[in-house]
Amino acid sequence: MNLSHRPKRLRKNTAIRNLVRETRLNVSDLICPVFIAEGKNIKREIPSMPGQFHYSIDRLEEGINEIAALEIQSVLLFGLPEHKDESGSRAYAQNGTVQQAVRLVKGKYPELFVITDVCLCQYTSHGHCGIIDNKAIDNDKSVEILAKIALSHSEAGADMVAPSDMMDGRVKAIRKILDENNFKDTSIMSYSAKYASAFYGPFRDAVNSTPAFGDRKTYQMDPANSDEAVREAGLDLEEGADILMVKPAMAYADIIYRFKEKFNVPIAAYSVSGEYSMIKAASRAGFLEEKQAVAEMITGIKRAGADLIITYFAKDIARQL
Ligand code: PBG
């Protein structure tokens, strides 16, 4: 056969494959989520997320040590309060779990970039991401509280806040309150396209935030839509977002790609709890090879256009690199 093109030549051996590889994962791409529970002497594995733990403040250092030793540069903190109420008041308490955790982490590891998740669902008795009035979410009241949460995280020393509630106008309100209080350098990573996804299941188990009634479809996005995601992201940028995030990642690679093509700001992707637990469960059952599956999934997310990747596999990947 006289073929003028033989693309397989560039796959012939490891060296040439390494030479022509287009996408490489780096430890510096990764952001590691950390769960902090109220209470004492807790390091408890999360049943729905094998290999992930709840830490209480007094044992948080163990978890952070491990992350820092692997040279992961950034963490995303989630709080798990003991007491929930209608207005999620523990979310903006000065001595709240996340606020204490930020102070501790920034005190011990000033070079670690600390991001906080800004939301209400872990803190409200009804488990919704906003304030409920008459069985419905009151957007504007919720935004006021979200801004207070973001401010309290910034006061504790957070480098960046990440609103994950999907209320309208929250980025604008957060930027405003931060600027007014002289936190001009605290950046905002907006969960711009956060879909109403079944892949958050293990996380809701982990933080006990399954809504007591209804679902999140009136504020999180319809998985069928992508133009709408672009509109959401455009608004977030106008309102002052520094980084746009897509969540989940695996089933939304097209959204990551569209954001990357359209907006010239860093794009983050959140590979969520379901993506993590799915691979963990399948590999434990012997259905697939975990390390390869993880590398392939996360590389795919980067190849789609993600500059920053939030993943529960961060430590595993860092160990492999
Ligand atoms: C809070 C929040 C959620 C996640 C991140 N922030 C849960 C939700 O919206 O139900 C999901 C993270 C994951 O599944 O890994 N709003």
Side-chain angles (χ1 to χ4, degrees), residues 2 24 31 58 69 83 85 110 122 156 159 185 192 255 263:
N2 218 342
R24 281 171 218 275
I31 297 169
D58 56 341
H83 302 289
D85 58 30
Q122 290 108 284
D159 294 296
D185 291 330
S192 300
I255 310 298
F263 304 109

Side-chain angles (χ1 to χ4, degrees), residues 78 117 119 121-122 129 164 191 194 199-200 203-204 216 220 247 270 272-273 312:
F78 290 94
D117 182 85
C119 199
C121 58
Q122 290 108 284
C129 305
S164 70
Y191 287 67
K194 178 172 178 181
F199 292 99
Y200 307 148
F203 176 95
R204 288 181 192 171
R216 303 205 208 287
Q220 298 182 347
K247 177 186 174 186
Y270 195 146
V272 300
S273 57
Y312 302 98

Side-chain angles (χ1 to χ4, degrees), residues 67-298:
I67 292 168
L70 288 163
E71 292 179 16
I72 293 170
Q73 307 195 27
S74 179
V75 289
L76 173 60
L77 306 184
F78 290 94
L80 187 68
E82 243 162 24
H83 302 289
K84 308 189 184 221
D85 58 30
E86 284 283 301
S87 61
S89 60
R90 290 300 291 165
Y92 50 87
Q94 270 200 351
N95 66 344
T97 347
V98 170
Q99 291 80 356
Q100 286 186 52
V102 172
R103 273 185 226 111
L104 183 129
V105 176
K106 286 309 284 187
K108 302 244 153 106
Y109 299 92
E111 68 296 338
L112 197 63
F113 195 83
V114 173
I115 311 170
T116 57
D117 182 85
V118 173
C119 199
L120 275 160
C121 58
Q122 290 108 284
Y123 301 91
T124 49
S125 41
H126 44 73
H128 277 289
C129 305
I131 302 299
I132 302 282
D133 209 3
N134 258 333
K135 290 260 165 198
I137 303 251
D138 185 325
N139 184 86
D140 300 10
K141 258 191 215 159
S142 306
V143 165
E144 266 175 50
I145 308 273
L146 290 159
K148 269 167 82 167
I149 301 172
L151 178 60
S152 74
H153 292 174
S154 306
E155 283 167 346
D159 294 296
M160 180 151 86
V161 292
S164 70
D165 51 282
M166 287 302 277
M167 296 301 130
D168 295 332
R170 88 272 211 210
V171 173
K172 185 176 178 186
I174 290 173
R175 187 68 272 157
K176 181 163 177 276
I177 203 170
L178 295 186
D179 286 352
E180 284 168 357
N181 287 277
N182 236 337
F183 291 106
K184 296 194 169 62
D185 291 330
T186 308
S187 45
I188 302 176
M189 172 164 70
S190 177
Y191 287 67
S192 300
K194 178 172 178 181
Y195 286 88
S197 171
F199 292 99
Y200 307 148
F203 176 95
R204 288 181 192 171
D205 248 21
V207 301
N208 184 20
S209 70
T210 306
F213 62 91
D215 52 39
R216 303 205 208 287
K217 288 182 187 162
T218 60
Y219 43 104
Q220 298 182 347
M221 284 187 41
D222 181 344
N225 294 356
S226 68
D227 285 345
E228 186 187 0
V230 175
R231 285 199 300 277
E232 280 279 8
L235 291 173
D236 285 352
L237 271 186
E238 260 174 47
E239 292 180 19
D242 300 287
I243 296 177
L244 303 173
M245 191 211 292
V246 176
K247 177 186 174 186
M250 204 176 178
Y252 300 87
D254 58 321
I255 310 298
I256 298 171
Y257 183 75
R258 282 188 74 172
F259 279 19
K260 186 64 187 168
E261 292 284 292
K262 172 133 184 138
F263 304 109
N264 51 1
V265 296
I267 306 300
Y270 195 146
S271 181
V272 300
S273 57
E275 294 168 64
Y276 174 82
S277 298
M278 202 158 61
I279 291 189
K280 283 284 174 194
S283 74
R284 285 182 176 203
F287 297 159
L288 50 74
E289 205 286 305
E290 180 171 327
K291 278 188 188 153
Q292 283 181 42
V294 171
E296 184 176 333
M297 175 171 81
I298 303 296

